[in-house]
Amino acid sequence: MSYRKRTAVLASAAALAGSAVWMAAPVARAEVVDVNYQCKTPIGDKSAVSPIDIKGVRSGGGYRITMSWQKGVSSSPVELGKGAMTPSATIALGGGADSGTLSVTGPANDAAIPANTPIKISDLSGTYTPKKSGEVTFTAGVLTIKALGTTTTCTPTNDPGPSLTLDVTAGGGAPGSAQGGGSGPDTGAGLPQTGPEDSAVALGTLGGTVLLAGAAGALWLTRRHQGAHAGR
């Protein structure tokens, strides 16, 4: 086989390998979804719309799920001092590979909340451990706010769509439950995000490495061929 043909074969193999890497990309879709909350408060019903963002980060045999509010919901007729309000929420699971709810929690407010102003919810997080591999959706559920001995419950009424869709892989060890969550530190902060952008970057880097390896091989063959001709 001539060096030109060998070069073409190597280039084609590198291109095919790069395509295979991209085709193997995991399903991971995230979008900010507007959620219309209807809240039952000690002083009557209130409503508010807040864009909800849910992210997932692989952590050990599971995923660290974080739920974020871009706008405040509900309000209090009196000022809530620092540490007086504690939020929690549920995330509805679906998509075929799982069902049920995931509980997420977060810290109390780190600053006073003035009276009659929207209550800004801190990021809430919990750990999700897949029972089996497949596609799982994460949709905003019920928000619970506890403050000054009272409880406010906010329920989505507009049937919001999923804020996150993941193609999860069940880890080793005992099967996990969809229930749970925790307010501890996010130990998965330094791990790759399971969102589409980070997956694309990682896969693009791997594909580029494969292509560069193919090009290096072709260059080596070309130089070897030229060296052989020069020695004749």
Side-chain angles (χ1 to χ4, degrees):
M1 183 184 294
S2 69
Y3 83 96
R4 290 180 180 174
K5 288 184 178 180
R6 287 195 293 269
T7 300
V9 169
L10 280 171
S12 298
L16 288 172
S19 299
V21 169
W22 281 105
M23 290 174 66
V27 176
R29 299 185 299 275
E31 62 178 311
V32 177
V33 176
D34 288 339
V35 178
N36 186 355
Y37 282 105
Q38 295 294 321
C39 300
K40 299 288 186 182
T41 80
I43 58 172
D45 295 348
K46 298 191 177 196
S47 63
V49 176
S50 178
I52 300 297
D53 180 33
I54 300 176
K55 289 185 174 64
V57 177
R58 189 66 192 252
S59 178
Y63 297 80
R64 188 71 172 174
I65 304 298
T66 301
M67 186 178 188
S68 302
W69 278 257
Q70 295 189 2
K71 290 183 180 179
V73 297
S74 190
S75 62
S76 171
V78 298
E79 179 180 282
L80 298 178
K82 179 180 178 181
M85 184 274 296
T86 304
S88 62
T90 61
I91 296 175
L93 306 174
D98 209 342
S99 61
T101 59
L102 170 70
S103 296
V104 289
T105 59
N109 57 308
D110 58 2
I113 302 173
N116 301 313
T117 60
I119 296 175
K120 179 65 173 71
I121 305 299
S122 60
D123 288 354
L124 307 182
S125 61
T127 300
Y128 169 67
T129 304
K131 301 172 187 175
K132 62 180 181 179
S133 300
E135 185 177 273
V136 178
T137 59
F138 298 80
T139 305
V142 177
L143 167 67
T144 302
I145 301 171
K146 293 186 177 183
L148 304 178
T150 67
T151 300
T152 294
T153 303
C154 300
T155 304
T157 59
N158 61 332
D159 192 23
S163 294
L164 176 67
T165 301
L166 289 180
D167 189 2
V168 302
T169 302
S177 170
Q179 302 289 341
S183 56
D186 189 347
T187 56
L191 298 174
Q193 182 173 319
T194 52
E197 292 183 2
D198 287 343
S199 296
V201 171
L203 290 168
T205 301
L206 179 56
T209 302
V210 172
L211 290 173
L212 286 173
L219 181 61
W220 179 80
L221 286 173
T222 300
R223 289 181 175 175
R224 181 181 179 188
H225 179 81
Q226 290 175 345
H229 275 286
R232 291 177 182 174

